[in-house]
Amino acid sequence: SQTIHQWPATLVQPVGSPLSLECTVEGTSNPNLYWYRQAAGRGLQLLFYSVGIGQISSEVPQNLSASRPQDRQFILSSKKLLLSDSGFYLCAWSPGLAGDETDTQYFGPGTRLTVL
Amino acid sequence: DAKTTQPPSMDCAEGRAANLPCNHSTISGNEYVYWYRQIHSQGPQYIIHGLKNNETNEMASLIITEDRKSSTLILPHATLRDTAVYYCIALDDKIIFGKGTRLHILP
């Protein structure tokens, strides 16, 4: 069966510090991968998605970046965190099915980031 | 922007059926209706999806109107563990989450 991991689970960082959040998927190959952010009291916002190694699409311009160095590894980074970067960050994967079948996304446990 | 509208909150008595409505009047013919839920401080959990026909699985049933402009998620016997925010999504290419419905299960 497929599993998705995120770490760390919680993180407190000062403004201006760098960030690296990691997401890995097990039990599947060539998945689509996604990064979402959920700010307090708000819905989920898609930040990045990737359909393959080195292929990253950005949905929202910001001071965050994403990379996919390996097939089942997705990393969210920042060089300098802002207060507004605080939130709940979720990684998701989908099988990337083609044709008529739709592509269900499955979410990881999330990382709660607090920027002080 | 989300293509769906949902009531912000609902209450349901424990053991009763919870019926969560969703309007998606601008949905296109190839957009699936998806439902996820998010229990506090956890990632969203997939529940069910459908295109035209009603669907049922071990978690819930999904009733889609014939004109596909609205749908209802039914949790047949709600328990306290079903307390969560429920998201209705019209999926074409990417998932766009709205604010969902906060379901409170009353003991």
Side-chain angles (χ1 to χ4, degrees):
Chain A
S1 64
Q2 299 86 9
T3 55
I4 179 169
H5 305 278
Q6 287 185 247
W7 62 89
T10 60
L11 189 61
V12 180
Q13 291 284 94
V15 170
S17 64
L19 173 73
S20 181
L21 303 181
E22 189 165 347
C23 171
T24 58
V25 181
E26 296 177 353
T28 187
S29 59
N30 197 31
N32 289 346
L33 296 172
Y34 309 82
W35 277 112
Y36 290 85
R37 176 172 60 198
Q38 187 174 37
R42 302 181 66 180
L44 285 165
Q45 179 186 39
L46 178 63
L47 302 175
F48 302 94
Y49 70 95
S50 171
V51 298
I53 295 175
Q55 300 178 62
I56 309 293
S57 296
S58 174
E59 290 295 301
V60 182
Q62 56 210 316
N63 71 319
L64 298 171
S65 63
S67 62
R68 185 169 177 175
Q70 300 180 41
D71 181 43
R72 289 168 290 177
Q73 184 184 32
F74 206 22
I75 297 173
L76 183 69
S77 304
S78 175
K79 293 182 179 178
K80 288 186 177 181
L81 283 169
L82 306 173
L83 285 175
S84 57
D85 291 325
S86 292
F88 192 41
Y89 287 82
L90 289 152
C91 181
W93 76 275
S94 67
L97 298 174
D100 295 334
E101 187 59 61
T102 191
D103 202 22
T104 302
Q105 291 186 27
Y106 302 94
F107 287 80
T111 294
R112 189 162 299 282
L113 172 66
T114 303
V115 182
L116 302 175
Chain B
D1 293 335
K3 296 183 179 181
T4 62
T5 56
Q6 301 174 252
S9 66
M10 289 183 62
D11 292 338
C12 179
E14 189 177 16
R16 305 294 295 270
N19 298 285
L20 293 93
C22 178
N23 287 324
H24 31 78
S25 57
T26 62
I27 195 172
S28 65
N30 59 348
E31 288 183 308
Y32 282 76
V33 177
Y34 264 76
W35 283 83
Y36 283 80
R37 72 179 181 184
Q38 188 174 21
I39 296 169
H40 182 63
S41 295
Q42 298 182 24
Q45 177 189 22
Y46 164 78
I47 301 174
I48 198 167
H49 74 278
L51 184 61
K52 296 180 182 178
N53 300 322
N54 298 337
E55 302 288 344
T56 296
N57 63 20
E58 66 277 4
M59 290 185 66
S61 294
L62 175 61
I63 308 299
I64 303 174
T65 58
E66 193 169 343
D67 62 8
R68 298 206 338 117
K69 292 186 176 182
S70 65
S71 61
T72 301
L73 179 74
I74 301 172
L75 307 178
H77 305 286
T79 71
L80 294 176
R81 288 175 293 182
D82 292 321
T83 295
V85 177
Y86 287 77
Y87 295 97
C88 170
I89 298 155
L91 178 64
D92 179 18
D93 182 25
K94 295 181 278 290
I95 285 182
I96 299 175
F97 284 83
K99 294 188 177 181
T101 296
R102 187 170 296 277
L103 178 65
H104 301 276
I105 305 300
L106 307 176

